[in-house]
Amino acid sequence: MSASQTGTPHSAAPDPAADGPMTARIRTLLEAAFAPTEITVVDESEQHRGHAGYQEGGESHFAVRLRSSAFEGRSRIARHRAVHSALGPEVMTAIHALALDLDTPARRD
């Protein structure tokens, strides 16, 4: 499993250089579109081995946690649509699953 994180919190996040190309591409596109205060992109593909959409080598199933002021005043659906738009059809058709945890910086879990 590969993860990269910027912003807060700064807890022992793996080195982004260890990310696969799709993980890095997702992070780069989302950072450019939303200037997040927090972003975590996790390749969860290995957890789906043997399931539909699994690709040998991974990079088919992702979980993203993103905190950005760009989400202020937007509904959950609008936030998801904005992320899908930022990733574009090239990324969205190349991956099988994308779990999104999107909120503003003011909200803390």
Side-chain angles (χ1 to χ4, degrees):
M1 181 167 33
S2 174
S4 66
Q5 188 173 13
T6 60
T8 54
H10 289 286
S11 60
D15 181 3
D19 288 344
M22 186 60 73
T23 304
R25 179 87 177 127
I26 290 169
R27 186 179 55 266
T28 298
L29 289 168
L30 295 178
E31 286 174 340
F34 300 105
T37 57
E38 178 183 343
I39 183 170
T40 307
V41 179
V42 179
D43 178 354
E44 297 183 330
S45 302
E46 195 55 38
Q47 297 173 22
H48 299 275
R49 181 178 287 276
H51 299 170
Y54 175 80
Q55 302 169 36
E56 195 61 46
E59 298 220 304
S60 59
H61 296 72
F62 294 91
V64 172
R65 178 181 167 94
L66 182 64
R67 300 295 179 260
S68 173
S69 58
F71 296 140
E72 294 282 346
R74 290 188 180 189
S75 69
R76 181 176 181 227
I77 291 175
R79 292 172 185 188
H80 281 241
R81 286 180 178 155
V83 167
H84 285 229
S85 179
L87 295 178
E90 182 180 325
V91 170
M92 293 306 300
T93 58
I95 64 176
H96 179 73
L98 181 63
L100 298 173
D101 175 3
L102 310 173
D103 216 330
T104 61
R107 287 272 314 234
R108 291 283 177 206
D109 297 323

